[in-house]
Amino acid sequence: MVYQNLLYVRHWNELMALPRVIPLAERPHRFARIAPPRIEFRDVSFHYPSGRPALRGVSFTIEPGESVALVGANGAGKSTLIKLLCRFYDVTSGQILINGVDLRELDPAHWYAHLGTLFQDFVQYKLTVRDNVLFGDPGRIDEAAMADAVRKAGAADLVRALPAGYDQILGTEFADGEQLSGGQWQKLAIARAFYQSAPVLIMDEPTSAIDAEAEYEIFNNLEAEYRDKTLILVSHRFSTVRNADRILVIEDGRIVEHGSHDQLLAAGGRYAAMFTAQAAGYR
């Protein structure tokens, strides 16, 4: 086995020799304290190496402590916008400003300390329940905060039902591991985000595998937790976005509407049509 694995060391060396895709500033900027910042997209466009532009001339501002929802059809550009904010890519043109500073001038590690993220393809750590939650902030071990995060994520009953509680190994890779459903894994991922309690929380389809009753409870807890922090939510389920301070409707890489839920319904535009179509399925 050692011999077989050593055959792939060359690939590792080739990978590590590749040039950085995201260049670092010569003198990266750091803010005096970590707090909810003002986020501004200024005429941002982005296109992948192949294909048409994913975003075209996008401009908007998120004030500190504001909750903003991004809605639109698949492929509209919602997830691309989030990836640019996380600086997984750099913009093709335009600027993303954080407290007036270009995101490309920030120290990436310092910027990541501002961000809590939960993506659709979150990691299922095949370790203990405790590890799955504490990895939200690995430099801090706070058992009380961990239990509170699990409660807010609606996973307290799940943990109590496991044979070893917080010490239960998850997954089937190791002996005595307990397999979870997709919704249960997602609740632990949400608990991880609660535990981190970052100034900015980005959630991309955070409750896609969770039932409606648990989803309602989780979002009530999110609204309470992030009353003074920034929450950015991407979702196709309009029940989860209607309470946002502001909703941005993205279509074909552009923002075509923005406003509160009530304002957009009254406008009778694209959001109202999508909301009405989805609500019809519950009437």
Side-chain angles (χ1 to χ4, degrees):
M1 288 176 64
V2 170
Y3 167 74
Q4 290 176 335
N5 285 304
L6 283 174
L7 295 176
Y8 296 93
V9 170
R10 175 174 56 84
H11 300 315
W12 167 257
N13 291 332
E14 290 173 352
L15 173 66
M16 298 307 293
L18 291 173
R20 293 187 63 92
V21 176
I22 303 297
L24 302 181
E26 290 186 11
R27 295 182 179 178
H29 183 85
R30 296 172 65 92
F31 299 116
R33 65 189 183 93
I34 295 177
R38 186 175 191 268
I39 300 169
E40 180 184 358
F41 276 62
R42 184 178 293 176
D43 197 26
V44 168
S45 294
F46 177 79
H47 61 79
Y48 293 97
S50 60
R52 63 179 183 171
L55 293 176
R56 298 183 290 173
V58 171
S59 297
F60 66 90
T61 301
I62 301 176
E63 298 295 342
E66 189 176 14
S67 61
V68 173
L70 310 178
V71 302
N74 288 329
K78 306 183 300 298
S79 292
T80 296
L81 189 151
I82 294 302
K83 291 172 182 177
L84 291 176
L85 182 58
C86 293
R87 210 185 169 204
F88 296 161
Y89 312 115
D90 277 336
V91 300
T92 303
S93 63
Q95 287 182 297
I96 300 175
L97 302 174
I98 310 299
N99 285 341
V101 178
D102 194 304
L103 180 57
R104 291 167 289 195
E105 299 299 319
L106 288 182
D107 177 349
H110 180 66
W111 174 232
Y112 290 149
H114 288 75
L115 299 180
T117 57
L118 175 56
F119 298 109
Q120 299 177 56
D121 52 348
F122 59 88
V123 178
Q124 300 176 5
Y125 295 102
K126 305 306 171 62
L127 299 169
T128 66
V129 173
R130 177 176 279 100
D131 291 331
N132 269 271
V133 180
L134 295 183
F135 281 172
D137 188 355
R140 173 174 66 106
I141 298 178
D142 186 331
E143 296 279 330
M146 175 186 68
D148 190 47
V150 167
R151 178 187 62 78
K152 290 175 180 176
D157 290 341
L158 162 66
V159 176
R160 279 193 292 268
L162 292 171
Y166 284 103
D167 295 316
Q168 177 64 53
I169 294 285
L170 302 177
T172 57
E173 277 79 354
F174 304 103
D176 301 322
E178 190 82 9
Q179 186 59 279
L180 301 183
S181 69
Q184 290 171 327
W185 276 115
Q186 198 162 46
K187 286 181 179 181
L188 290 182
I190 294 171
R192 188 158 59 243
F194 270 120
Y195 181 75
Q196 184 182 2
S197 193
V200 180
L201 177 59
I202 299 169
M203 306 187 83
D204 190 348
E205 294 290 355
T207 56
S208 58
I210 294 176
D211 63 83
E213 186 176 353
E215 178 187 66
Y216 178 78
E217 178 186 351
I218 289 168
F219 274 93
N220 281 342
N221 292 333
L222 269 174
E223 289 176 14
E225 175 76 14
Y226 275 79
R227 187 171 291 115
D228 300 318
K229 302 174 186 176
T230 300
L231 177 62
I232 302 173
L233 174 67
V234 179
S235 181
H236 288 99
R237 293 163 76 165
F238 288 91
S239 59
T240 66
V241 306
R242 62 181 301 164
N243 291 333
D245 296 327
R246 196 151 43 97
I247 300 168
L248 306 181
V249 182
I250 302 177
E251 193 170 89
D252 197 24
R254 298 181 185 276
I255 295 177
V256 295
E257 293 178 338
H258 63 90
S260 69
H261 171 76
D262 291 338
Q263 289 171 338
L264 292 174
L265 279 187
R270 184 74 182 116
Y271 177 84
M274 291 189 294
F275 179 84
T276 302
Q278 191 171 112
Y282 298 98
R283 290 174 179 160

